[in-house]
Amino acid sequence: MSATQASVSVAEFESIFESVKNWGRWGPDDKLGTLNYVTPDMVRAAAALVRSGRRVSMAIPINRVSGPDNPNQATLLVVQGHDVPVDGSKVRFGLDWLGMAAHGDCHTHVDALCHISYGGLTYNGRRAGDVLMSNGATAQDIAVYAEGVVGRGVLLDLPKYRGVRWLEPGEAVTRAELEACADAQGVEFREGDFLVFRTGHHRRRLELGPWDNSPPPVGEGKAGLHVDAIPWMHERRIAAFLPDGDGEAVPSVVEGITYPIHPLQVVAMGMLVSDSLQFEELVLACEEEGRYEFMVVGLPLRLPGGTGSPWNPIAIF
Amino acid sequence: MSATQASVSVAEFESIFESVKNWGRWGPDDKLGTLNYVTPDMVRAAAALVRSGRRVSMAIPINRVSGPDNPNQATLLVVQGHDVPVDGSKVRFGLDWLGMAAHGDCHTHVDALCHISYGGLTYNGRRAGDVLMSNGATAQDIAVYAEGVVGRGVLLDLPKYRGVRWLEPGEAVTRAELEACADAQGVEFREGDFLVFRTGHHRRRLELGPWDNSPPPVGEGKAGLHVDAIPWMHERRIAAFLPDGDGEAVPSVVEGITYPIHPLQVVAMGMLVSDSLQFEELVLACEEEGRYEFMVVGLPLRLPGGTGSPWNPIAIF
Amino acid sequence: MSATQASVSVAEFESIFESVKNWGRWGPDDKLGTLNYVTPDMVRAAAALVRSGRRVSMAIPINRVSGPDNPNQATLLVVQGHDVPVDGSKVRFGLDWLGMAAHGDCHTHVDALCHISYGGLTYNGRRAGDVLMSNGATAQDIAVYAEGVVGRGVLLDLPKYRGVRWLEPGEAVTRAELEACADAQGVEFREGDFLVFRTGHHRRRLELGPWDNSPPPVGEGKAGLHVDAIPWMHERRIAAFLPDGDGEAVPSVVEGITYPIHPLQVVAMGMLVSDSLQFEELVLACEEEGRYEFMVVGLPLRLPGGTGSPWNPIAIF
Amino acid sequence: MSATQASVSVAEFESIFESVKNWGRWGPDDKLGTLNYVTPDMVRAAAALVRSGRRVSMAIPINRVSGPDNPNQATLLVVQGHDVPVDGSKVRFGLDWLGMAAHGDCHTHVDALCHISYGGLTYNGRRAGDVLMSNGATAQDIAVYAEGVVGRGVLLDLPKYRGVRWLEPGEAVTRAELEACADAQGVEFREGDFLVFRTGHHRRRLELGPWDNSPPPVGEGKAGLHVDAIPWMHERRIAAFLPDGDGEAVPSVVEGITYPIHPLQVVAMGMLVSDSLQFEELVLACEEEGRYEFMVVGLPLRLPGGTGSPWNPIAIF
């Protein structure tokens, strides 16, 4: 599609929003959203997927250098090196300090439900200004996931399905293509699964270098989901969404809404969403292990009040 | 023991240091240290411990308030709330920013091997000033653990063994007591195991409030390991050490070395060490599940150059 | 006065608030508040006070160590030392990074008018939520003082007047005492002057060590102004208030309002207020130069959106 | 000159270095370097230049947005807005937090003498690794300028002299041109003066937008001084150098040394140097006031250990 690809109206967007809304489904004080789909039995079943013991990281190395898709680079500072005595002994400590935006543009992170609002409301219909105060979130913060995000991950590898290196910026993966890709790979989704969604965003970055992900004409955009794939996720009771890029097709297919996927997932569905993963090691492992399913463990920092967290989720085969 | 409990000389300390030294054991460019003990088979076996699917966090909630044991509190700042328009639509984003010391005194974190030096050398005999430059670590950084720390955890619950609420500050757990505790609990350690070591430090903090952990007379000190327990860990090929507190008994049992456990573990052995965990949910889970062993997953941030990382390791039963 | 010294009701407080209110005085879009009193002629006259060329700093050295009156210590981090090559030459750069709260409790800083609100309104009757958004101030920010704060400073040295080392925590200086002190020192205040107000707060800190400034019984409080001194400042058209401590007497003399001086000065009057100065070098200079008046120059950072700024104002004799 | 304009050898550079070296001139423990030239009498004389009382800032507004010449943007974060109650009263506080690199590329700042080394030595022949430790500077830090930088500033306006809007990137102003410009403007330099050096860097940025200042072919470079102007400054006993840009002509005229001006000024001469000023208001004021001389006041933060400081120096006419 082109930079003027918007073909979905706000009214259609809001119709999807209503149709996938989980508000009240798990009670007015629900914390976990779609992670409620994941029962202890499913955790056990996910662990039972561990057969070879092979592990791969799905995180991008945290980037300390500013760039066109990374204007808010992380800051890692050595506070004390081994040149500083600490007591009279031969022991010395090196210390550092890390500063980073929770939602840094090309840092792998996980969103809290307070992160996004639509029409002044967050997930479950809470008033956004009460949920996220200027000094931190009072509810729906990232600390609700303290016990970690554990379940069965299933990879849909769109570039492999299409026979390309990566999807081009602006391309939006529809429901029909998701289904066709799953069929081609021979995988089925079950309630509580984690959709690991690969557009090849990170491979393109590795090969062509970073680019500005904002909409044309300023930037080049990025590949992601079409909004019509959201009901597909809702019907299957997908518990978590783990994309490279951030799942958004830019320019957007929805008129006037730059990032329509996040409000549908986070606000309407209460879905666990992660941004900016990479699957370079994962695709190799899937190929060598001969399967697209694996145990996923992601562990957000236990950070009360946070709108998100950097993290390093892994797949275990 | 008292504030003047030092009963081990530096010479004895250095003798232990030599006896547990793994330098060169896994080659001159080794990255993983004692995590080399953990084979893929052990990862599979750890996953096989997942039976109920129950999970507990072993992290302390990240603390944004300064205190006597937390002078370097974390900084969590809301960069943008839902009061700020982002485009013409009804979508709004809440964003925050996190700043924290890698080795913050009461934040749960994991140490990189570059974190500590003894006599100018880090693990494997590398020159400390080359390993950790003023702009970050060039080797032995926390990113070497990108695939995560996964294995079989075994809890030794010293307060339960002694029949107390917690060990008092200054108390040092000896090899003999570790062995007796393991016997009493009916657990055995195998090569590649993670020692989950509970002194009750965090419970004391919850009940009595935070205290200054530095040596008397300035502070009250803390409970930890006696250095004679280090050879016990070395002989058993323990792969990781996960304590509440940080494993150090303060005041130290070694004359003139305030923190002797860390250099023995990190510099001599190349051991994966975490600091400032809490086991309040874990002890309850162990009791209810009727076992002291469980799958442990800890996922350091994928942070090139870092001397450590905040993290949120979990136990899965 | 005692910890239960509150003798002024909220109604009386609000009556003072109304009586000193400068809202609209310099137009609805006024930026400078009481600094409008300072004409270019007064700047010239202040410069004419420079006779010996002697200069003293009125700032406390920025404090990187946490303490009872400094829970939000500044962070100064060396980003790069001289151990890191930058090009093939012999040139090397040391770089650092500074993080600090604008209103850090014992860091010398200057307040922007957006810093404080009363009843939801800031100076000039602006809605606080519009003036200070979650991503920065849209008006009344510290950058309005980009041309600096320059004028005639006059010291009132209360400890010297009373013949004590310092005023004790909780003591509140009344209008009557301000007048008596000025008479005893033989100084007069003119429109546009800066009141340099010394309680000896910093000298007490230097001699007795830091203490918790919060109200008893948690802390010890601090010495400052009585609210009845505010109309005195208003009548004299004082342009700026430069105290050690922060001008607040703690516990407060106003029932239920912990910090009544700031809203009167900043919200009602639009006054330029600085916090946490120190006058150790200044009192010596005043004595040796034989006068209590001097040129003051204070230069806030040119920081759009900021609620305040660290600064280092000086007196020139 | 072109991107391959290097016409000065390292040997010639080092010959200049030796010829302008002030090491030992003010004793082995000197703190102030060329600011020693400024006597109290000169401060008085500078204050006597204040006739109209007009003031202008020479700082660029601190920039929170990343850009090609500003990869290390400042971070300004609202910690608490007026949506957060603080006590039971109607008083509320807005708080923010500032993080920034001391030497941020397009932030107006002043360098400490510890900032730069040549051949492992800083000003006065101190070992760089002792002066700047990994936890801060032990000497030659920015706090030595606590009493501020005050003196007579004289503007040399090169674009006006040449009759252009700005000097183009890469252009290097020689001693001969400095002298011709001073003659054309009718100004003379005296011992202790501050050279305010305008290339039009900031005007170019305002009109054409930011550009990458690094050497071609990566960036476009920037205009600055030729190294042959350094002895001119040394002979005249210039006390401080206040340029737009940072005084460096990029690409460098010295073979293999990317930034030759800073080591000559800071390391050899011990000169007070500021970077990244702007003179848009200043040139207008000079024109309207009919003179190129004025009182300058610059106030570094009182920051022990710092390699530099953001600041907002002003000119007073």
Side-chain angles (χ1 to χ4, degrees), chain B residues 70-293:
Chain B
N70 183 31
N72 299 302
Q73 76 272 30
T75 303
L76 174 72
L77 304 172
V78 174
V79 180
Q80 182 179 284
H82 295 281
D83 56 341
V84 179
V86 290
D87 56 18
S89 78
K90 296 183 196 168
V91 179
R92 295 198 173 180
F93 297 97
L95 305 174
D96 66 33
W97 184 94
L98 174 67
M100 62 189 302
H103 305 275
D105 289 307
C106 77
H107 295 129
T108 308
H109 64 270
V110 54
D111 294 347
L113 294 177
C114 66
H115 171 41
I116 305 182
S117 62
Y118 189 73
L121 302 178
T122 64
Y123 167 66
N124 240 2
R126 304 282 296 266
R127 264 188 26 107
D130 294 339
V131 166
L132 182 60
M133 312 283 285
S134 61
N135 63 348
T138 59
Q140 302 187 346
D141 62 337
I142 201 66
V144 305
Y145 304 130
E147 281 74 36
V149 178
V150 182
R152 177 191 183 238
V154 179
L155 170 68
L156 290 187
D157 186 345
L158 275 298
K160 182 170 182 183
Y161 169 68
R162 290 195 188 180
V164 296
R165 298 285 298 158
W166 50 72
L167 276 55
E168 291 299 334
E171 293 187 321
V173 176
T174 60
R175 172 185 187 128
E177 189 171 18
L178 279 186
E179 289 174 342
C181 178
D183 283 350
Q185 292 186 193
V187 296
E188 273 182 35
F189 284 87
R190 308 178 201 135
E191 180 170 337
D193 276 354
F194 301 173
L195 171 57
V196 180
F197 175 75
R198 181 167 185 267
T199 64
H201 182 100
H202 191 67
R203 178 170 294 170
R204 187 176 194 271
R205 190 178 195 275
L206 289 175
E207 296 195 7
L208 302 188
W211 71 93
D212 186 333
N213 297 170
S214 56
V218 172
E220 297 177 54
K222 56 189 161 188
L225 279 182
H226 194 285
V227 290
D228 80 356
I230 297 297
W232 180 90
M233 298 178 77
H234 182 64
E235 292 157 18
R236 268 144 203 80
R237 300 188 171 178
I238 300 295
F241 179 61
L242 306 176
D244 55 358
D246 64 357
E248 300 282 355
V250 174
S252 170
V253 301
V254 179
E255 180 125 26
I257 299 183
T258 315
Y259 303 109
I261 298 297
H262 275 73
L264 293 172
Q265 292 179 327
V266 178
V267 184
M269 302 166 79
M271 178 168 274
L272 189 289
V273 173
S274 179
D275 282 7
S276 300
L277 295 110
Q278 63 79 23
F279 305 125
E280 297 309 294
E281 293 93 345
L282 183 68
V283 290
L284 188 63
C286 283
E287 187 171 325
E288 294 179 1
E289 302 285 331
R291 50 179 166 132
Y292 291 101
E293 63 169 7

Side-chain angles (χ1 to χ4, degrees), chain B residues 66 71-73 78-81 83-84 133-135, chain C residues 66 71-73 78-81 83-84 133-135:
Chain B
S66 182
N72 299 302
Q73 76 272 30
V78 174
V79 180
Q80 182 179 284
D83 56 341
V84 179
M133 312 283 285
S134 61
N135 63 348
Chain C
S66 183
N72 299 302
Q73 76 273 29
V78 174
V79 180
Q80 182 180 282
D83 57 341
V84 178
M133 312 283 285
S134 63
N135 64 348

